[in-house]
Amino acid sequence: MLAAEHGFTFKSYRNHTKLILAEIAGRCYVVESSANLRSCQNIEQFTLTQSHELFAFHAGWIDECLRFAKS
C-alpha cells in the first residue's frame, strides 16, 4: 500500500469530528471544520490555527480513540 511505503497508516472509528493535524517544518497546524466529505449545497466553515498546544490536545484524544480503532 502506498501509504505504508511513506510511513502512514489508516484506522477508522465512529466519530463525526473533522480535523486535520499537520506538522510542517517544525510548526504544528490544526484545521477544524464543519464540512463533511460529500458534495452538497451547505455553507461550511473551517478554522486554521498554528498552535502546538491545540495540536497536542487533539492528538492526545485521537491517540486514545485509535487504541480501539479497526485497522
Side-chain angles (χ1 to χ4, degrees):
M1 177 180 220
L2 185 59
E5 290 176 18
H6 293 279
F8 296 98
T9 59
F10 293 93
K11 291 187 175 186
S12 65
Y13 54 95
R14 190 130 172 91
N15 191 303
H16 199 64
T17 303
K18 293 90 162 188
L19 290 171
I20 299 171
L21 305 180
E23 278 187 86
I24 302 170
R27 295 190 173 160
C28 295
Y29 297 92
V30 177
V31 177
E32 299 167 296
S33 175
S34 68
N36 290 305
L37 296 176
R38 61 183 173 92
S39 177
C40 67
Q41 300 298 317
N42 294 347
I43 296 173
E44 305 286 358
Q45 61 79 33
F46 77 91
T47 302
L48 172 62
T49 307
Q50 180 188 336
S51 169
H52 182 269
E53 292 80 11
L54 185 59
F55 181 97
F57 166 76
H58 284 305
W61 72 259
I62 291 170
D63 285 343
E64 184 64 24
C65 289
L66 290 176
R67 290 183 355 161
F68 304 100
K70 297 178 182 178
S71 295

